[in-house]
Amino acid sequence: MSKGPVSQFIQHHYRHFNAAALMDAAKGYEAHLAEGGKMLVSLAGAMSTAELGISLAEMIRQDKIHMISCTGANLEEDVMNLVAHSHYKRVPNYRDLTPQDEWDLLENHYNRVTDTCIPEEEAFRRLQKHLEKAWKDAQANGERFFPHEFLYKVVLSGELEQYYEIDPKDSWIVAAAEKNLPIVVPGWEDSTTGNIFASYVIKGELQASTVKSGIEYMVWLTELYREMSTGKGLGFFQIGGGIAGDFPICVVPMMYQDLEWHDVPFWSYFCQISDSTTSYGSYSGAVPNEKITWGKLDIHTPKFVVESDATIVAPLIFAYLLGW
């Protein structure tokens, strides 16, 4: 595949230090796919609100991503941006805000993520009524689904199209739903839609069991890993740290150590984009070699760390992989 101007720029200029790490990671990802490997991408932070979907959706459409692990926030916030984009408020001078300024944003139903304020009414509530219907319909039918499956149902139903405020090709959830891409969402209850669901449980309108749990995600991930890790194997491209990364990467030592299955291949590629400095006791700040001791990576697994802002690095790596 011939490379476009962004890729050519990276190849020419990114020769040393952290820039070279980005180039090496992108080439390693590309080689992994070329040899028949598959890739899991994990999303921490607020990557959906950062509109990573502009490049991530195309990565999904072009089969350069085969599974995603993300926080509940990233799952819901891509769809919120899809249906309420024009109502978002950007605050470039967010470092100058006083506590009173922050209170005023709250009073105006804005929830701030760095320089971007999510509009509560247009984003959260617009999505809520459609999810509520999906949850209650499932319960009435004696059905249970994962959090991402409920969101897929709402997206694929077309009910949200009346609200679309961006081109749906820039929504990674739309791309994932159309592909029925496997997504694991550990800790989904730590999200706005998870909190909304909990409120219905407290009010007695829903049963907690209607949404499948994190343990069930791990059981399903075990099946997915065994399917995808044949041949060249399954790689791990981690954006940020936290539960979105730690949960899925642990499936390998769980199978090897706890299930005592000894035919389990290690993750066959590893890259982490993180601005966490190497530190004591930190997961995000641990160097990849530490993961060898936990039975996650092999001695020979290609390992990369790009220590920078993921909103800058991830689109560049994706652009390289897409030939842009």
Side-chain angles (χ1 to χ4, degrees):
M1 180 177 64
S2 60
K3 297 290 188 183
V6 177
S7 299
Q8 290 174 26
F9 179 89
I10 296 169
Q11 284 177 306
H12 185 69
H13 292 276
Y14 284 33
R15 302 184 182 196
H16 302 281
F17 315 138
N18 220 24
L22 183 158
M23 187 73 259
D24 291 343
K27 286 181 175 178
Y29 193 139
E30 188 172 57
H32 180 74
L33 295 182
E35 293 167 14
K38 292 183 167 57
M39 192 68 73
L40 177 146
V41 171
S42 74
L43 302 175
M47 297 307 298
S48 289
T49 292
E51 297 190 72
L52 185 64
I54 294 169
S55 56
L56 181 61
E58 189 62 21
M59 287 284 288
I60 293 168
R61 282 191 292 269
Q62 292 197 23
D63 295 319
K64 297 182 186 298
I65 294 172
H66 305 87
M67 192 189 326
I68 283 179
S69 171
C70 68
T71 56
N74 276 305
L75 185 76
E76 66 196 11
E77 287 175 13
D78 178 81
V79 181
M80 290 174 184
N81 178 61
L82 174 66
V83 302
H85 181 78
S86 68
H87 299 276
Y88 278 60
K89 178 182 177 71
R90 188 158 177 266
V91 188
N93 63 327
Y94 66 92
R95 289 183 176 88
D96 302 329
L97 297 178
T98 65
Q100 183 61 53
D101 293 332
E102 304 278 23
W103 183 261
D104 292 343
L105 287 171
L106 172 66
E107 291 283 279
N108 286 292
H109 305 286
Y110 281 111
N111 300 134
R112 184 172 70 82
V113 181
T114 312
D115 69 346
T116 303
C117 298
I118 301 173
E120 180 185 334
E121 289 302 319
E122 291 82 5
F124 298 130
R125 304 309 166 202
R126 192 167 278 183
L127 181 57
Q128 176 178 348
K129 59 186 177 185
H130 298 285
L131 273 175
E132 176 190 357
K133 181 179 184 299
W135 291 331
K136 290 184 174 178
D137 285 350
Q139 183 164 301
N141 294 327
E143 296 174 320
R144 304 174 64 242
F145 298 103
F146 285 120
H148 78 279
E149 291 179 309
F150 278 113
L151 199 57
Y152 278 4
K153 286 177 184 294
V154 171
V155 168
L156 294 174
S157 72
E159 294 169 13
L160 299 179
E161 290 178 11
Q162 59 186 308
Y163 311 122
Y164 283 5
E165 295 193 350
I166 64 168
D167 190 328
K169 76 176 177 58
D170 292 337
S171 164
W172 72 264
I173 287 290
V174 170
E178 289 173 349
K179 285 264 186 188
N180 196 26
L181 190 80
I183 303 182
V184 294
V185 192
W188 172 74
E189 56 273 17
D190 177 25
S191 67
T192 299
T193 47
N195 292 167
I196 290 168
F197 179 80
S199 75
Y200 288 118
V201 174
I202 293 166
K203 290 185 289 187
E205 296 180 28
L206 285 167
Q207 298 168 355
S209 58
T210 297
V211 175
K212 290 185 177 181
S213 71
I215 295 297
E216 289 170 286
Y217 262 134
M218 181 58 82
V219 173
W220 184 50
L221 177 58
T222 303
E223 299 171 14
L224 291 169
Y225 188 88
R226 287 170 73 81
E227 289 171 15
M228 292 189 185
S229 61
T230 56
K232 178 61 179 174
L234 185 59
F236 199 101
F237 188 85
Q238 180 174 335
I239 300 175
I243 194 172
D246 200 25
F247 179 90
I249 206 168
C250 286
V251 73
V252 171
M254 185 274 288
M255 287 189 281
Y256 191 86
Q257 297 169 12
D258 303 320
L259 284 164
E260 299 182 349
W261 294 348
H262 297 298
D263 60 341
V264 181
F266 292 105
W267 294 95
S268 53
Y269 164 100
F270 177 80
C271 175
Q272 180 176 11
I273 305 169
S274 174
D275 57 7
S276 175
T277 53
T278 303
S279 57
Y280 306 111
S282 165
Y283 171 73
S284 299
V287 296
N289 280 352
E290 187 176 293
K291 292 174 173 58
I292 294 172
T293 74
W294 288 88
K296 299 168 183 175
L297 304 180
D298 192 8
I299 295 171
H300 306 294
T301 303
K303 306 171 190 70
F304 307 93
V305 177
V306 187
E307 293 184 282
S308 186
D309 184 329
T311 63
I312 298 169
V313 171
L316 286 174
I317 291 180
F318 291 166
Y320 182 84
L321 293 164
L322 293 164
W324 289 352

